[in-house]
Every structure is written in structure tokens, then in C-alpha cells.
Amino acid sequence: MPADKPQILSNIALFGGMGREELEAIAARAVEKRYPAGATLFLEGEECAGMFIIGRGQVKIYKTSSSGREITIAVESAPSTVAELPMFDGGDYPASVSALDDVLALFIGKRDFFQVCRQHPEVALKILAAVGRRLRHLVATLEIVTFGSIRQRLARLILELGDAAGSDSFPLSMTHQELASRLGTVREVISRNLSRFQVDGLIRIEGRMLHIRSRQDLEREAETEL
């Protein structure tokens, strides 16, 4: 069944405030794409062809070293956008993006998006705000990877996932390997520290659900001296 493109666009902050007619005009330029879990949307170094709007599902943004080591920069959940920045700086995609689960995306090519910006200048301003938020997130990610022990960094990440879910009980969508990639370590270290958190009464894991049992103690674990 074809996606309701205007409805997807209406949930994206970049296009907030636009009427149905304007959204339909943009939707007419958007190409619907579907990706199964594990599929690649684009790879680092490829020429930037346009922007992806995530209408359903989750994607991870990651970089891979020459030795094959992977680090996850961010996880984006619908509704969101990826690849805004390279459209404007003329560069290639600076990182790779793949689907964490079944993803429905809308792709808008650079030329079409620039036409939207010319017709609606406020969209370009919202792009700047989105890029600013992403930059702040990257700085925070750098801090997480660089400073503190794995235990501290893992505690902070669990708190962030809970905040993003709006609950102290949420499905843990990332595997232990993906958590390790996010924190710049190995799967065994993540598994060991999650077990310790459970023994210490900070969290409880039931299947794919993670429950924060003591937010105060977890916040204490996450504190890092810079």
C-alpha cells in the first residue's frame, strides 16, 4: 500500500506550518523507498544525491575505519531526516546509514529540495536548526566516547534512550554489538556491564524490554569528571 506522503511530511519539523497543498507539492517530488532491517540507505563517501525523510522505523548513522571497526554516531527514529548537511556543502555523504528495522523513507533529490527552499525560505532556516542540533549531538557523542569509563558511558546512554522513549521502561532496539559500536567498545564488555547493572539493581532486562529501576543511581553512575 502506497504511503501517505503528505501525512509523513506533516510530521517532520522542517515542514511544520505548511498547508496540505504545499505538502502535496513537495510529496509529488518525493520518492518512496522501503528498506528491510540491515539494508543500507547510503554509504560514506558516496556522492550526495539528496535527503532522506524517515517516515517509519529506525536507522543508524555510523562510520567505519580502514580496519573495519564500526562506531555508531547516532540512531534516528521516525519522524526524522538524515543527510541534510551534505546537500548544502557539496560534499559526499560523511557517514553511512542503514536500517535497524523495517524502514519507510521518502527521498527528495537536491534539485527538488532547493526548489522547495526557494519557495519556502523558512525551510532553509529549519535546516540550519536541524544541523545545529546534530552538531550538538556529535559533540556529546565525542564526549561520551572520549571521557569516562565504559560503565559511565553505558549508564548515560541508557538514560538517553529512556529520555527519548519518554519512559523508564522501553524496548532496547539495539543489540549488544550495536551498543558496543555506539560506545566504541566490544560486545563482551557491554554484556558484562549490563549484567552488573542488573545485579546492582539499577536496571532490569526482560526479553527486549529494559526497565530503569533506579534512575537516581543510574544518573550517579553516568556522572563523568571532565
Side-chain angles (χ1 to χ4, degrees):
M1 181 178 179
D4 185 344
K5 296 180 186 179
Q7 180 60 44
I8 292 174
L9 291 171
S10 70
N11 292 325
I12 301 298
L14 296 180
F15 308 111
M18 291 187 180
R20 179 76 182 189
E21 184 176 342
E22 294 170 313
L23 292 174
E24 287 177 348
I26 299 171
R29 300 183 174 97
V31 178
E32 179 181 331
K33 293 179 176 289
R34 295 176 184 266
Y35 301 90
T40 300
L41 280 69
F42 55 83
L43 292 171
E44 176 183 355
E46 291 181 348
E47 180 182 358
C48 176
M51 179 178 70
F52 289 80
I53 295 167
I54 309 303
R56 185 172 66 240
Q58 287 187 319
V59 299
K60 68 173 180 178
I61 305 172
Y62 65 97
K63 292 183 73 70
T64 306
S65 70
S66 57
S67 64
R69 183 179 179 183
E70 178 185 300
I71 182 167
T72 300
I73 298 173
V75 173
E76 294 287 345
S77 301
S80 61
T81 60
V82 292
E84 309 96 336
L85 181 58
M87 286 202 305
F88 288 89
D89 70 3
D92 298 332
Y93 290 122
S96 302
V97 172
S98 64
L100 287 176
D101 49 19
D102 290 343
V103 167
L104 167 64
L106 300 181
F107 174 78
I108 301 180
K110 284 197 293 186
R111 181 176 299 180
D112 288 331
F113 189 77
F114 290 159
Q115 181 63 31
V116 171
C117 289
R118 282 191 288 269
Q119 294 174 348
H120 303 280
E122 71 276 10
V123 172
L125 294 176
K126 290 178 180 179
I127 281 284
L128 288 175
V131 170
R133 287 193 298 271
R134 198 175 298 281
L135 178 59
R136 288 181 179 274
H137 177 80
L138 289 174
V139 171
T141 299
L142 177 63
E143 177 185 317
I144 289 172
V145 172
T146 305
F147 300 104
S149 67
I150 292 296
R151 186 177 174 95
Q152 288 170 317
R153 287 146 57 185
L154 181 59
R156 182 181 298 185
L157 179 56
I158 291 172
L159 290 167
E160 289 178 357
L161 294 173
D163 291 342
S167 172
D168 281 348
S169 296
F170 54 90
L172 188 60
S173 59
M174 289 184 283
T175 65
H176 289 192
Q177 180 57 56
E178 288 165 341
L179 288 170
S181 174
R182 180 81 174 265
L183 296 178
T185 185
V186 295
R187 180 180 58 80
E188 291 77 11
V189 173
I190 294 299
S191 299
R192 185 163 58 248
N193 278 280
L194 286 174
S195 295
R196 289 175 179 170
F197 282 170
Q198 292 196 83
V199 171
D200 293 343
L202 277 64
I203 64 172
R204 185 175 75 255
I205 298 177
E206 298 175 325
R208 297 296 294 174
M209 291 295 297
L210 188 149
H211 308 275
I212 297 176
R213 298 180 62 188
S214 176
R215 174 169 281 270
Q216 183 177 3
D217 289 339
L218 200 60
E219 288 173 343
R220 188 176 298 114
E221 285 289 346
E223 291 178 358
T224 304
E225 294 294 333
L226 299 181

